[in-house]
Amino acid sequence: MADPTNGTHTVNGICHHDCPDSCGWTVTVEGDGPQRVAVKMRGNPEHPYSYGELCPKVNRFLDRVYSPDRVLRPLRRTGPKGSGEFEPISWDEALDEIGSRLNAVIDEHGGEAVMPFSDAGNQSILATQGISSRLFHHIGATRLLRNICGPTVAAGAAMTNGTSLGGDAMDLEHAKLIILWATNTRLTNRHLWPVIEKARANGARLVVIDPIRTITAEEADWFVQPLPGTDTAMMLAMMHVIIRDDLLDHEWVEAHTLGLDELAEAVAAWTPARAAEQCGVDADVIERLAREYATTRPAAIRTLVGGEHHENGAMFYRTMACLPALTGAWRDRGGGFFRSVGTWQDELIDEAALTRPDLLAGREVRTLNMSRLGEILLDEEPPVRAMIVWNSNPLVIVPNAERVREGLDRDDLFTVVHEQFVTDTARYADIVLPATTHIEASDVSPAWGHLWMGWNEAAIEPLGEAVSNSECFRRIAGAMGLTEPSLFEDDLTVLRAALPAVDLDRLRADGWMKVPFPESGTPWANGGFPTASGRVELASDRLEAIGQPRVPTFVPPVEGPHGPDAARFPLQLMTPKHHTRFLNSSYSQLPKHGPAEGGPFVELDAVDAAARGLAEGDAARVFNDRASVEVPVKITERLRPGVASIPWGWWRDHHPDGKVANSLTNDTLTEWGGGVAYSDTLVEVERA
C-alpha cells in the first residue's frame, strides 16, 4: 500500500521462524527499487491467527536486517578453523573455489562424499528445500535425515493412529479440560494462549504437565510435575485407572480401536502407586488426573515436541495417542489429540515436484541422521569430504557438540556456510556466503501451529551481495558446470510445481489461505484411521515388526536416574527454551536480545545446590564424560531435586570456557522416528 504524501508504502509478509505461530507482519518501506529502506515492522492486525502481535524477537527484526555484523559479501577463511578469521572476496572467486572443490571431491570420492546440512532456521518452502534438494539429488549426495526436532512426535502418534494428523488447536476454545503436556505455550506458542483463556472463561480447567515449573505452569489451574522422561509411566497408570474403573467410551472403543484386551493386560500392573515410584508424582494425583480426563467432555491433550527428546520419545507420543481413543474424546469438537498441524499444510505440497528425487536416476545413496553429526564427521566410512550448511547452526543446536566441533576442525573437510552472521558454525567454514533475511526474499511459509499458509513478499532488495537460499544453490550448480534445467528454475516456477492445488497468484494477493480441514472440527469422530486395520491400534503389528513392544510400554532410559552412570552423574540435565528474546540459536548474539536476557546459567533446586556448597551466583562447573561447561548458579523453585537446567541457544562467546549447553547433551537416537535424547543427559555440578 503506497502513501503518496511521503513516499512510503507497506509490504505484507509472514514470519519464517521455526515457531508454531507463523505471524503476519507489515513492513513500512521508504524509497523505491534498490534504494528501498525498511523503517518499521509491525504485526499485521488482519492476520487471522496473530492479529497484529509480534513476539519480542521479531519486534526488533529490523535490527537484525541492518545489523553492522551482517555478512554482506562472500568470505574466505584466512586463519585456523574456528578462529573466525576471514577476508572478503567476490562471488566469482567464491564460486570458482566452491565449484572446483566440490567437483574434485565428487570426481575422487563420489557424490556421497558431499553432505548437506540444514534445518528450519527458515521454514519457508524455497528456503528449506527449493533448489537445494534438487542439486543434492542430482549429484548423488549423502541424504540427511532432518529429524532432530519434531518428526519423532509424528512417528510416535502414527504407530497408534496411522497418521500424525490431529485436531486444530484453535478448537481448544470448545474444550472443558485442556491438558498442556510437555509444552510451554505462553513462551513458545504465545498466540494460542488467548484461545486457552477463552476456553477457561467458558469454564474450562487447565492442567499443565511438565518437569519444569514454566511460565505456563504458573498460570495453570493444576500443575503436575513428573521427573523428566517418566511421563509414559504416568500415562500407563492413567489407562490402568480408566480401564479398571470402567471409564471407557465402550461404543467408540468397540467401533474404532483394536487391541483393547492386550492393552488392558499390559497396564494391569501399572497401578498409580507403581507409576508414582518412577515419576515422583503422588498416586492419588495420578488417580485424580485419570478420572478428570475420562469424565470431562470435551477433553483435549495439547502437546508439541518437548516429550520426544528422550531415548523412548516416540513411545511417549504413541502412548499419549491411546488416551483419547479410550475415552472417545475424538467425538467432540475441542476433544482429542492436538499437536502440530503442519501435516495438514504438507498435504498441499507435492514433495516430489519440489525436491525431484527422480534426479537420483536410480542411485541408492546413504542417509545419515543429523543428530549424530559428530559421529558422521569423525567416524563415518567412507568419510564426508564436503559439507554445505544453511538454515542451521549445528555447533549450537546439535547434541554432543564438542564431537561436532572436532569434526568441523578436520583439515580435509571442505565446508561452505550460507549465513547472515558469522555463527559458531560459520567460524569453521572455508567459504561463508551472504544470506538474505526474510524481508529480502519472497517465499511461501507453511505454519505448523495453525491452518493458514502464508505468502511472504520481499519488502526490500537484498542488502550488499546477499542472496536467497534458492539463488545460492542456483549459483553453486552453475559453478559446478551442471546443466540440469530444474536446477535453474526461477522461484515462482518452483513454487507452482510444489503447490499444484494452490492458486499462487491468489495467495500472493491475499497474503494467506486456510488449508483444508474438516469443517466439523472432529477429523476422527467417526473413525477412518489410515492404519492397516482402519482403527486406532492400541496393539500394533507394525511396532512388533520393527522390534518394539506391541503395546505402550515404559522403558527407563539408559542415561537416566536408574542407569549405570547415575552414581557418578546424579543430576538429570534439561536444556529448555527459556528466553523470550531469542529463538533456538538465533538472536542471542544481537545487542538488544542476548544482553537483555543476562547470560547462560545453570538452575538448581536449593537442596541440590546446598548439597554441593553452591549459592546464588557462584561459578559452577557442569560436567559429564562428554564435556564441562562453566556457568553461574541460579537457585530456583522451578525444578525438583535431582534435576538441573541450562537454557540453550547461547553461542560459545557467551560462555566463559567457550562450550555451549549442547556440549553436554546425549546424542543417543530415539527408539524409532529418528529423534535424539537431549533430555536423557546426566551431569554433576561442582564449584568451578
Side-chain angles (χ1 to χ4, degrees), residues 227-293:
L227 291 166
T230 63
D231 307 68
T232 299
M234 189 159 67
M235 294 178 207
L236 295 174
M238 288 176 65
M239 290 192 281
H240 170 99
V241 173
I242 291 168
I243 294 171
R244 181 198 69 194
D245 294 351
D246 197 24
L247 302 177
L248 301 164
D249 183 330
H250 287 282
E251 181 183 31
W252 202 93
V253 168
E254 183 175 347
H256 303 303
T257 73
L258 179 72
L260 176 63
D261 290 344
E262 281 189 67
L263 177 67
E265 182 179 356
V267 302
W270 275 100
T271 64
R274 180 184 176 189
E277 293 175 357
Q278 291 290 335
C279 62
V281 174
D282 288 346
D284 60 346
V285 170
I286 299 173
E287 290 262 4
R288 177 182 160 203
L289 179 63
R291 286 181 164 279
E292 284 207 24
Y293 176 71

Side-chain angles (χ1 to χ4, degrees), residues 276-579:
E277 293 175 357
Q278 291 290 335
C279 62
V281 174
D282 288 346
D284 60 346
V285 170
I286 299 173
E287 290 262 4
R288 177 182 160 203
L289 179 63
R291 286 181 164 279
E292 284 207 24
Y293 176 71
T295 59
T296 306
R297 306 190 78 109
I301 297 176
R302 166 65 169 180
T303 188
L304 287 178
V305 300
E308 77 170 19
H309 298 311
H310 295 274
E311 293 174 25
N312 299 290
M315 184 62 81
F316 177 107
Y317 294 98
R318 184 275 195 272
T319 306
M320 180 179 283
C322 293
L323 286 166
L326 294 180
T327 62
W330 286 116
R331 288 183 186 268
D332 309 315
R333 186 165 200 165
F337 176 63
F338 297 80
R339 55 168 296 270
S340 165
V341 292
T343 42
W344 292 99
Q345 306 240 356
D346 292 344
E347 301 247 307
L348 294 180
I349 300 174
D350 186 334
E351 194 78 13
L354 173 62
T355 65
R356 295 293 304 274
D358 60 293
L359 295 176
L360 279 166
R363 289 168 293 181
E364 293 289 335
V365 297
R366 64 184 174 184
T367 298
L368 301 177
N369 191 307
M370 67 187 305
S371 299
R372 300 302 296 263
L373 181 58
E375 178 182 69
I376 290 168
L377 294 180
L378 293 172
D379 303 329
E380 185 67 27
E381 291 292 342
V384 170
R385 306 279 182 174
M387 184 166 71
I388 301 179
V389 181
W390 75 104
N391 275 4
S392 189
N393 185 8
L395 256 181
V396 176
I397 73 158
V398 173
N400 205 354
E402 295 314 301
R403 289 272 286 168
V404 177
R405 190 188 310 277
E406 186 181 349
L408 288 173
D409 202 31
R410 277 174 39 200
D411 288 334
D412 65 336
L413 177 70
F414 177 62
T415 305
V416 177
V417 175
H418 185 222
E419 253 296 355
Q420 298 164 9
F421 297 90
V422 179
T423 63
D424 285 5
T425 304
R427 284 173 171 263
Y428 286 82
D430 296 286
I431 300 288
V432 180
L433 299 174
T436 52
T437 64
H438 203 49
I439 69 166
E440 299 165 72
S442 296
D443 209 337
V444 172
S445 294
W448 53 274
H450 57 77
L451 294 171
W452 283 274
M453 179 178 285
W455 176 276
N456 180 74
E457 187 71 26
I460 59 174
E461 296 292 323
L463 298 188
E465 299 176 23
V467 300
S468 67
N469 293 3
S470 52
E471 176 60 19
C472 180
F473 285 101
R474 280 190 284 263
R475 293 187 181 190
I476 291 175
M480 296 177 70
L482 304 177
T483 58
E484 161 57 40
S486 67
L487 304 182
F488 302 97
E489 289 180 350
D490 64 80
D491 289 349
L492 282 175
T493 300
V494 175
L495 287 172
R496 291 188 196 283
L499 298 164
V502 174
D503 184 336
L504 207 63
D505 297 324
R506 178 69 181 271
L507 176 62
R508 189 171 194 174
D510 293 347
W512 50 77
M513 59 166 283
K514 192 171 186 179
V515 303
F517 184 82
E519 289 187 14
S520 65
T522 53
W524 307 115
N526 299 311
F529 293 89
T531 56
S533 64
R535 296 165 175 256
V536 173
E537 295 190 342
L538 305 174
S540 169
D541 291 340
R542 290 174 63 203
L543 278 174
E544 186 176 45
I546 63 171
Q548 296 295 326
R550 288 177 52 80
V551 292
T553 304
F554 175 65
V555 179
V558 173
E559 191 166 337
H562 304 293
D565 291 327
R568 289 194 302 137
F569 304 116
L571 298 175
Q572 189 159 357
L573 178 69
M574 305 294 288
T575 52
K577 296 179 181 180
H578 173 80
H579 305 294

